[in-house]
Amino acid sequence: MAKETLPPPLNPDEIKKMREVCRLAARTLEHVASYVKVGVSLLELDQIVYDYTLSHGAEPAPLGYHGYPKSICTSVNDVVCHGVPDEYRLRSGDIVNIDVTPKKDGFYGDTSATFLVGEVTPEVAHFVEVARLARDRGIEVVRPGATTGDIGFEINQFVTRHGFTTVKEIGGHGIGRRFHEEPFVPSHGKRGRGPMLLPWRCITVEPMINQGSDEVVEFLIPNSSIKWYRTRDGKLSAQFEHTVLITDTGYEILTIP
Ligand code: MF3
Ligand code: CO
Ligand code: CO
């Protein structure tokens, strides 16, 4: 992908706004996490984030984004991403990814985590931990001059060494003045391939990993061009996401409370 398609660098005032909205995103995720219990409904979690976001002078970016109907994504068990909150109530043994994206002062902060509900098996807890560490491995290689392929390679190597797979068709993205912009940040790839990372831009690193096959099936969301995805084999999928600033020498994780 040509360097020209990447957004211009953020100026110091814009970087300050990104730090602020990303801190809010992290706090929002922490807030909603405290309500993740057996019996809570996905719609209740959505409402909690809607209220929290507005009370902090921000808006939930997913709401109305390409027709998306809710304020968060809630992806349970074999749902890979973009699960739309509904009346489903969490049960013991479930895993649920909650993905939040406040928009404030024209800037976006995007973060997600997968939570364990009630009693989950050690195998499932291990799988979810690998998803978190895969995200963190990917972030560690972020610096100016590295490429998106470097991130993807690192993630895929780590995940496959643990016996799991990475989702290929969906991944991270540039973020800042827009919710989704260049470059695409894959969860697999070859070192040195793909767009080069440039200083003072933000990207998300958000690998989706599967317990079984990497194959996913897509489903339509009514009145929206956003799709939601499930694993084809019905096995679990997990994901963690941070928004990361590329600095002059490396990276700064912005979605930290
Ligand atoms: N937050 C998701 C991401 O990490 C995007 C959700 S778009 C929505 O990129 F419309 F589904 F909300
Ligand atoms: Co994202
Ligand atoms: Co997200």
Side-chain angles (χ1 to χ4, degrees):
M1 201 171 299
K3 169 180 172 179
E4 294 75 44
T5 67
L6 293 174
L10 299 168
N11 68 37
D13 178 60
E14 293 171 319
I15 291 168
K16 188 175 167 211
K17 287 174 176 165
M18 276 304 285
R19 287 198 179 105
E20 279 177 18
V21 72
C22 287
R23 190 183 313 116
L24 176 62
R27 289 178 178 172
T28 304
L29 192 59
E30 233 178 25
H31 179 72
V32 68
S34 70
Y35 292 88
V36 174
K37 296 271 159 56
V38 171
V40 74
S41 80
L42 302 177
L43 278 175
E44 287 162 359
L45 298 175
D46 182 69
Q47 185 69 44
I48 286 158
V49 169
Y50 178 83
D51 292 342
Y52 188 89
T53 305
L54 262 58
S55 78
H56 288 78
E59 5 170 344
L63 188 59
Y65 181 73
H66 296 293
Y68 188 80
K70 295 292 174 190
S71 297
I72 59 173
C73 300
T74 47
S75 303
V76 179
N77 297 337
D78 60 337
V79 178
V80 174
C81 69
H82 303 167
V84 179
D86 63 12
E87 295 84 23
Y88 180 80
R89 291 186 183 277
L90 292 173
R91 301 180 184 191
S92 186
D94 283 346
I95 64 171
V96 59
N97 174 279
I98 302 179
D99 194 330
V100 305
T101 312
K103 178 186 186 186
K104 194 175 181 184
D105 287 335
F107 290 83
Y108 297 82
D110 193 3
T111 187
S112 84
T114 299
F115 301 98
L116 311 177
V117 183
E119 305 267 308
V120 308
T121 66
E123 287 82 356
V124 170
H126 169 70
F127 168 65
V128 171
E129 187 58 13
V130 170
R132 177 199 299 279
L133 294 171
R135 188 261 325 258
D136 296 344
R137 285 290 188 110
I139 291 171
E140 275 172 31
V141 303
V142 172
R143 58 171 177 80
T147 69
T148 58
D150 295 341
I151 300 172
F153 177 85
E154 209 63 30
I155 291 169
N156 191 247
Q157 175 175 261
F158 181 79
V159 171
T160 55
R161 279 180 178 172
H162 280 89
F164 304 124
T165 61
T166 55
V167 172
K168 311 295 187 297
E169 41 277 269
I170 328 155
H173 48 92
I175 184 169
R177 304 173 190 92
R178 298 194 298 148
F179 192 169
H180 294 101
E181 56 191 15
E182 298 300 317
F184 176 67
V185 181
S187 305
H188 74 296
K190 294 189 173 157
R191 282 184 174 143
R193 302 283 183 90
M196 193 175 281
L197 305 180
L198 300 175
W200 314 120
R201 277 87 169 170
C202 291
I203 57 169
T204 72
V205 179
E206 52 175 308
M208 286 151 241
I209 80 165
N210 294 351
Q211 216 178 14
S213 156
D214 63 355
E215 281 188 83
V216 299
V217 184
E218 59 175 54
F219 296 87
L220 301 177
I221 296 171
N223 305 308
S224 174
S225 56
I226 304 288
K227 298 178 178 88
W228 66 279
Y229 299 82
R230 227 159 51 183
T231 59
R232 182 178 289 282
D233 62 13
K235 293 187 179 183
L236 298 178
S237 189
Q239 181 187 23
F240 288 81
E241 174 176 26
H242 271 316
T243 298
V244 177
L245 173 68
I246 305 155
T247 66
D248 50 352
T249 55
Y251 66 86
E252 180 182 329
I253 299 175
L254 299 188
T255 38
I256 286 175

